[in-house]
PDB file of all heavy atoms in Angstrom:
ATOM      1  N   ASN A  94      12.789  12.200  -4.120  1.00  0.00           N
ATOM      2  CA  ASN A  94      13.880  12.241  -5.258  1.00  0.00           C
ATOM      3  C   ASN A  94      13.112  11.772  -6.632  1.00  0.00           C
ATOM      4  O   ASN A  94      12.571  10.734  -6.605  1.00  0.00           O
ATOM      5  CB  ASN A  94      14.900  10.979  -4.865  1.00  0.00           C
ATOM      6  CG  ASN A  94      16.059  10.932  -5.849  1.00  0.00           C
ATOM      7  OD1 ASN A  94      15.828  11.176  -6.995  1.00  0.00           O
ATOM      8  ND2 ASN A  94      17.134  10.621  -5.287  1.00  0.00           N
ATOM      9  N   PRO A  95      13.221  12.635  -7.575  1.00  0.00           N
ATOM     10  CA  PRO A  95      12.694  12.329  -8.884  1.00  0.00           C
ATOM     11  C   PRO A  95      13.055  11.036  -9.486  1.00  0.00           C
ATOM     12  O   PRO A  95      12.283  10.313 -10.178  1.00  0.00           O
ATOM     13  CB  PRO A  95      13.175  13.439  -9.815  1.00  0.00           C
ATOM     14  CG  PRO A  95      13.565  14.545  -8.969  1.00  0.00           C
ATOM     15  CD  PRO A  95      13.927  13.894  -7.644  1.00  0.00           C
ATOM     16  N   LYS A  96      14.324  10.566  -9.014  1.00  0.00           N
ATOM     17  CA  LYS A  96      14.749   9.195  -9.703  1.00  0.00           C
ATOM     18  C   LYS A  96      13.874   8.115  -8.937  1.00  0.00           C
ATOM     19  O   LYS A  96      13.457   7.150  -9.643  1.00  0.00           O
ATOM     20  CB  LYS A  96      16.143   8.886  -9.262  1.00  0.00           C
ATOM     21  CG  LYS A  96      17.145   9.472 -10.162  1.00  0.00           C
ATOM     22  CD  LYS A  96      18.547   8.977  -9.877  1.00  0.00           C
ATOM     23  CE  LYS A  96      19.610   9.636 -10.710  1.00  0.00           C
ATOM     24  NZ  LYS A  96      20.942   9.739 -10.211  1.00  0.00           N
ATOM     25  N   ASP A  97      13.486   8.142  -7.632  1.00  0.00           N
ATOM     26  CA  ASP A  97      12.778   7.242  -7.086  1.00  0.00           C
ATOM     27  C   ASP A  97      11.322   7.205  -7.685  1.00  0.00           C
ATOM     28  O   ASP A  97      10.722   6.210  -7.932  1.00  0.00           O
ATOM     29  CB  ASP A  97      12.588   7.500  -5.574  1.00  0.00           C
ATOM     30  CG  ASP A  97      13.891   7.033  -4.795  1.00  0.00           C
ATOM     31  OD1 ASP A  97      14.497   6.068  -5.185  1.00  0.00           O
ATOM     32  OD2 ASP A  97      14.211   7.645  -3.742  1.00  0.00           O
ATOM     33  N   MET A  98      10.697   8.398  -7.780  1.00  0.00           N
ATOM     34  CA  MET A  98       9.436   8.591  -8.383  1.00  0.00           C
ATOM     35  C   MET A  98       9.273   8.019  -9.863  1.00  0.00           C
ATOM     36  O   MET A  98       8.524   7.120 -10.189  1.00  0.00           O
ATOM     37  CB  MET A  98       9.024  10.068  -8.531  1.00  0.00           C
ATOM     38  CG  MET A  98       8.630  10.618  -7.068  1.00  0.00           C
ATOM     39  SD  MET A  98       8.058  12.375  -7.451  1.00  0.00           S
ATOM     40  CE  MET A  98       8.550  12.989  -5.778  1.00  0.00           C
ATOM     41  N   GLY A  99      10.467   8.406 -10.564  1.00  0.00           N
ATOM     42  CA  GLY A  99      10.482   7.907 -11.958  1.00  0.00           C
ATOM     43  C   GLY A  99      10.531   6.335 -12.042  1.00  0.00           C
ATOM     44  O   GLY A  99       9.838   5.657 -12.786  1.00  0.00           O
ATOM     45  N   PHE A 100      11.338   5.791 -11.193  1.00  0.00           N
ATOM     46  CA  PHE A 100      11.508   4.352 -11.197  1.00  0.00           C
ATOM     47  C   PHE A 100      10.134   3.640 -10.794  1.00  0.00           C
ATOM     48  O   PHE A 100       9.660   2.633 -11.423  1.00  0.00           O
ATOM     49  CB  PHE A 100      12.556   3.910 -10.127  1.00  0.00           C
ATOM     50  CG  PHE A 100      12.546   2.391  -9.940  1.00  0.00           C
ATOM     51  CD1 PHE A 100      13.322   1.654 -10.713  1.00  0.00           C
ATOM     52  CD2 PHE A 100      11.844   1.786  -8.873  1.00  0.00           C
ATOM     53  CE1 PHE A 100      13.344   0.248 -10.764  1.00  0.00           C
ATOM     54  CE2 PHE A 100      11.837   0.377  -8.685  1.00  0.00           C
ATOM     55  CZ  PHE A 100      12.522  -0.436  -9.551  1.00  0.00           C
ATOM     56  N   CYS A 101       9.485   4.204  -9.766  1.00  0.00           N
ATOM     57  CA  CYS A 101       8.257   3.581  -9.308  1.00  0.00           C
ATOM     58  C   CYS A 101       7.070   3.613 -10.431  1.00  0.00           C
ATOM     59  O   CYS A 101       6.511   2.602 -10.525  1.00  0.00           O
ATOM     60  CB  CYS A 101       7.721   4.231  -8.017  1.00  0.00           C
ATOM     61  SG  CYS A 101       8.800   3.897  -6.681  1.00  0.00           S
ATOM     62  N   TYR A 102       7.072   4.755 -11.014  1.00  0.00           N
ATOM     63  CA  TYR A 102       5.988   4.786 -12.106  1.00  0.00           C
ATOM     64  C   TYR A 102       6.414   3.953 -13.315  1.00  0.00           C
ATOM     65  O   TYR A 102       5.532   3.406 -13.854  1.00  0.00           O
ATOM     66  CB  TYR A 102       5.779   6.366 -12.526  1.00  0.00           C
ATOM     67  CG  TYR A 102       4.893   6.999 -11.450  1.00  0.00           C
ATOM     68  CD1 TYR A 102       5.305   8.182 -10.878  1.00  0.00           C
ATOM     69  CD2 TYR A 102       3.607   6.547 -11.269  1.00  0.00           C
ATOM     70  CE1 TYR A 102       4.560   8.925 -10.089  1.00  0.00           C
ATOM     71  CE2 TYR A 102       2.823   7.313 -10.349  1.00  0.00           C
ATOM     72  CZ  TYR A 102       3.290   8.442  -9.765  1.00  0.00           C
ATOM     73  OH  TYR A 102       2.426   9.204  -8.911  1.00  0.00           O
ATOM     74  N   ALA A 103       7.681   3.925 -13.598  1.00  0.00           N
ATOM     75  CA  ALA A 103       8.197   3.084 -14.696  1.00  0.00           C
ATOM     76  C   ALA A 103       7.873   1.677 -14.589  1.00  0.00           C
ATOM     77  O   ALA A 103       7.556   0.943 -15.461  1.00  0.00           O
ATOM     78  CB  ALA A 103       9.672   3.328 -15.078  1.00  0.00           C
ATOM     79  N   VAL A 104       8.021   1.163 -13.329  1.00  0.00           N
ATOM     80  CA  VAL A 104       7.668  -0.378 -12.978  1.00  0.00           C
ATOM     81  C   VAL A 104       6.261  -0.491 -12.751  1.00  0.00           C
ATOM     82  O   VAL A 104       5.912  -1.650 -12.658  1.00  0.00           O
ATOM     83  CB  VAL A 104       8.633  -0.943 -12.011  1.00  0.00           C
ATOM     84  CG1 VAL A 104      10.065  -0.908 -12.420  1.00  0.00           C
ATOM     85  CG2 VAL A 104       8.437  -0.358 -10.595  1.00  0.00           C
ATOM     86  N   GLY A 105       5.459   0.515 -12.684  1.00  0.00           N
ATOM     87  CA  GLY A 105       3.985   0.369 -12.736  1.00  0.00           C
ATOM     88  C   GLY A 105       3.285   0.710 -11.352  1.00  0.00           C
ATOM     89  O   GLY A 105       2.151   0.222 -11.164  1.00  0.00           O
ATOM     90  N   ALA A 106       3.954   1.491 -10.508  1.00  0.00           N
ATOM     91  CA  ALA A 106       3.235   2.041  -9.299  1.00  0.00           C
ATOM     92  C   ALA A 106       1.959   2.805  -9.825  1.00  0.00           C
ATOM     93  O   ALA A 106       1.972   3.426 -10.823  1.00  0.00           O
ATOM     94  CB  ALA A 106       4.028   2.991  -8.529  1.00  0.00           C
ATOM     95  N   ASN A 107       0.855   2.698  -9.013  1.00  0.00           N
ATOM     96  CA  ASN A 107      -0.328   3.407  -9.431  1.00  0.00           C
ATOM     97  C   ASN A 107      -0.389   4.755  -8.849  1.00  0.00           C
ATOM     98  O   ASN A 107      -1.099   5.623  -9.322  1.00  0.00           O
ATOM     99  CB  ASN A 107      -1.530   2.554  -8.834  1.00  0.00           C
ATOM    100  CG  ASN A 107      -1.601   1.171  -9.397  1.00  0.00           C
ATOM    101  OD1 ASN A 107      -0.896   0.275  -9.053  1.00  0.00           O
ATOM    102  ND2 ASN A 107      -2.517   1.030 -10.466  1.00  0.00           N
ATOM    103  N   ALA A 108       0.415   5.029  -7.753  1.00  0.00           N
ATOM    104  CA  ALA A 108       0.422   6.492  -7.267  1.00  0.00           C
ATOM    105  C   ALA A 108       1.710   6.488  -6.365  1.00  0.00           C
ATOM    106  O   ALA A 108       2.150   5.557  -5.909  1.00  0.00           O
ATOM    107  CB  ALA A 108      -0.796   6.755  -6.365  1.00  0.00           C
ATOM    108  N   TYR A 109       2.227   7.733  -6.303  1.00  0.00           N
ATOM    109  CA  TYR A 109       3.338   8.024  -5.471  1.00  0.00           C
ATOM    110  C   TYR A 109       3.045   9.235  -4.672  1.00  0.00           C
ATOM    111  O   TYR A 109       2.783  10.263  -5.155  1.00  0.00           O
ATOM    112  CB  TYR A 109       4.563   8.238  -6.325  1.00  0.00           C
ATOM    113  CG  TYR A 109       5.915   8.294  -5.768  1.00  0.00           C
ATOM    114  CD1 TYR A 109       6.826   7.249  -5.813  1.00  0.00           C
ATOM    115  CD2 TYR A 109       6.231   9.321  -4.758  1.00  0.00           C
ATOM    116  CE1 TYR A 109       8.133   7.222  -5.110  1.00  0.00           C
ATOM    117  CE2 TYR A 109       7.577   9.367  -4.182  1.00  0.00           C
ATOM    118  CZ  TYR A 109       8.402   8.395  -4.318  1.00  0.00           C
ATOM    119  OH  TYR A 109       9.647   8.448  -3.726  1.00  0.00           O
ATOM    120  N   HIS A 110       3.245   9.059  -3.344  1.00  0.00           N
ATOM    121  CA  HIS A 110       3.036  10.193  -2.402  1.00  0.00           C
ATOM    122  C   HIS A 110       4.316  10.331  -1.542  1.00  0.00           C
ATOM    123  O   HIS A 110       4.914   9.395  -1.102  1.00  0.00           O
ATOM    124  CB  HIS A 110       1.915   9.941  -1.459  1.00  0.00           C
ATOM    125  CG  HIS A 110       0.580   9.820  -2.128  1.00  0.00           C
ATOM    126  ND1 HIS A 110      -0.172  10.918  -2.400  1.00  0.00           N
ATOM    127  CD2 HIS A 110      -0.111   8.788  -2.585  1.00  0.00           C
ATOM    128  CE1 HIS A 110      -1.326  10.520  -2.950  1.00  0.00           C
ATOM    129  NE2 HIS A 110      -1.241   9.244  -3.114  1.00  0.00           N
ATOM    130  N   VAL A 111       4.716  11.656  -1.304  1.00  0.00           N
ATOM    131  CA  VAL A 111       5.881  11.820  -0.463  1.00  0.00           C
ATOM    132  C   VAL A 111       5.174  12.016   1.082  1.00  0.00           C
ATOM    133  O   VAL A 111       4.297  12.743   1.195  1.00  0.00           O
ATOM    134  CB  VAL A 111       6.499  13.130  -0.812  1.00  0.00           C
ATOM    135  CG1 VAL A 111       7.685  13.394   0.156  1.00  0.00           C
ATOM    136  CG2 VAL A 111       7.108  13.115  -2.255  1.00  0.00           C
ATOM    137  N   LYS A 112       5.777  11.128   1.837  1.00  0.00           N
ATOM    138  CA  LYS A 112       5.362  10.983   3.259  1.00  0.00           C
ATOM    139  C   LYS A 112       5.527  12.492   3.988  1.00  0.00           C
ATOM    140  O   LYS A 112       6.630  12.908   4.114  1.00  0.00           O
ATOM    141  CB  LYS A 112       6.173   9.972   3.953  1.00  0.00           C
ATOM    142  CG  LYS A 112       5.404   9.412   5.198  1.00  0.00           C
ATOM    143  CD  LYS A 112       6.340   8.274   5.852  1.00  0.00           C
ATOM    144  CE  LYS A 112       6.206   6.995   5.018  1.00  0.00           C
ATOM    145  NZ  LYS A 112       7.082   5.968   5.730  1.00  0.00           N
ATOM    146  N   PRO A 113       4.445  12.972   4.478  1.00  0.00           N
ATOM    147  CA  PRO A 113       4.622  14.271   5.233  1.00  0.00           C
ATOM    148  C   PRO A 113       5.391  14.015   6.442  1.00  0.00           C
ATOM    149  O   PRO A 113       5.257  13.066   7.061  1.00  0.00           O
ATOM    150  CB  PRO A 113       3.216  14.746   5.397  1.00  0.00           C
ATOM    151  CG  PRO A 113       2.209  13.961   4.491  1.00  0.00           C
ATOM    152  CD  PRO A 113       3.039  12.580   4.304  1.00  0.00           C
ATOM    153  N   VAL A 114       6.171  15.102   6.895  1.00  0.00           N
ATOM    154  CA  VAL A 114       6.955  14.979   8.016  1.00  0.00           C
ATOM    155  C   VAL A 114       6.064  15.100   9.203  1.00  0.00           C
ATOM    156  O   VAL A 114       6.252  14.333  10.300  1.00  0.00           O
ATOM    157  CB  VAL A 114       8.098  16.029   8.054  1.00  0.00           C
ATOM    158  CG1 VAL A 114       8.898  16.076   9.326  1.00  0.00           C
ATOM    159  CG2 VAL A 114       8.937  15.879   6.934  1.00  0.00           C
ATOM    160  N   ARG A 115       5.082  15.972   9.197  1.00  0.00           N
ATOM    161  CA  ARG A 115       4.183  16.211  10.402  1.00  0.00           C
ATOM    162  C   ARG A 115       3.270  15.074  10.503  1.00  0.00           C
ATOM    163  O   ARG A 115       2.535  14.888   9.507  1.00  0.00           O
ATOM    164  CB  ARG A 115       3.638  17.625  10.397  1.00  0.00           C
ATOM    165  CG  ARG A 115       4.583  18.721  10.614  1.00  0.00           C
ATOM    166  CD  ARG A 115       3.846  20.105  10.562  1.00  0.00           C
ATOM    167  NE  ARG A 115       2.839  20.185  11.510  1.00  0.00           N
ATOM    168  CZ  ARG A 115       1.553  20.262  11.182  1.00  0.00           C
ATOM    169  NH1 ARG A 115       1.069  20.220  10.112  1.00  0.00           N
ATOM    170  NH2 ARG A 115       0.654  20.455  12.215  1.00  0.00           N
ATOM    171  N   TYR A 116       3.008  14.596  11.782  1.00  0.00           N
ATOM    172  CA  TYR A 116       2.048  13.565  12.022  1.00  0.00           C
ATOM    173  C   TYR A 116       0.679  13.842  11.538  1.00  0.00           C
ATOM    174  O   TYR A 116       0.039  12.957  10.735  1.00  0.00           O
ATOM    175  CB  TYR A 116       2.050  13.110  13.476  1.00  0.00           C
ATOM    176  CG  TYR A 116       0.926  12.308  13.934  1.00  0.00           C
ATOM    177  CD1 TYR A 116       0.852  10.973  13.571  1.00  0.00           C
ATOM    178  CD2 TYR A 116      -0.134  12.867  14.645  1.00  0.00           C
ATOM    179  CE1 TYR A 116      -0.288  10.220  13.908  1.00  0.00           C
ATOM    180  CE2 TYR A 116      -1.255  12.018  15.026  1.00  0.00           C
ATOM    181  CZ  TYR A 116      -1.234  10.812  14.636  1.00  0.00           C
ATOM    182  OH  TYR A 116      -2.323   9.990  14.993  1.00  0.00           O
ATOM    183  N   PRO A 117       0.088  14.917  11.852  1.00  0.00           N
ATOM    184  CA  PRO A 117      -1.361  15.162  11.307  1.00  0.00           C
ATOM    185  C   PRO A 117      -1.476  15.127   9.866  1.00  0.00           C
ATOM    186  O   PRO A 117      -2.491  14.820   9.360  1.00  0.00           O
ATOM    187  CB  PRO A 117      -1.680  16.591  11.974  1.00  0.00           C
ATOM    188  CG  PRO A 117      -0.691  16.900  13.016  1.00  0.00           C
ATOM    189  CD  PRO A 117       0.711  16.194  12.644  1.00  0.00           C
ATOM    190  N   ASP A 118      -0.497  15.740   9.161  1.00  0.00           N
ATOM    191  CA  ASP A 118      -0.408  15.661   7.626  1.00  0.00           C
ATOM    192  C   ASP A 118      -0.356  14.232   7.124  1.00  0.00           C
ATOM    193  O   ASP A 118      -1.088  13.953   6.185  1.00  0.00           O
ATOM    194  CB  ASP A 118       0.677  16.691   7.174  1.00  0.00           C
ATOM    195  CG  ASP A 118       0.629  18.134   7.665  1.00  0.00           C
ATOM    196  OD1 ASP A 118      -0.491  18.473   7.929  1.00  0.00           O
ATOM    197  OD2 ASP A 118       1.651  18.666   7.716  1.00  0.00           O
ATOM    198  N   HIS A 119       0.510  13.531   7.734  1.00  0.00           N
ATOM    199  CA  HIS A 119       0.790  12.083   7.348  1.00  0.00           C
ATOM    200  C   HIS A 119      -0.549  11.360   7.522  1.00  0.00           C
ATOM    201  O   HIS A 119      -1.046  10.599   6.623  1.00  0.00           O
ATOM    202  CB  HIS A 119       1.860  11.478   8.276  1.00  0.00           C
ATOM    203  CG  HIS A 119       2.176  10.082   7.943  1.00  0.00           C
ATOM    204  ND1 HIS A 119       3.108   9.377   8.634  1.00  0.00           N
ATOM    205  CD2 HIS A 119       1.840   9.318   6.969  1.00  0.00           C
ATOM    206  CE1 HIS A 119       3.133   8.225   8.125  1.00  0.00           C
ATOM    207  NE2 HIS A 119       2.520   8.094   7.123  1.00  0.00           N
TER     208      HIS A 119
END
Side-chain angles (χ1 to χ4, degrees):
N94 185 328
K96 277 190 185 154
D97 283 331
M98 288 184 206
F100 172 84
C101 289
Y102 281 121
V104 298
N107 297 80
Y109 189 109
H110 296 273
V111 178
K112 200 180 281 181
V114 177
R115 290 181 59 248
Y116 165 75
D118 300 336
H119 182 188

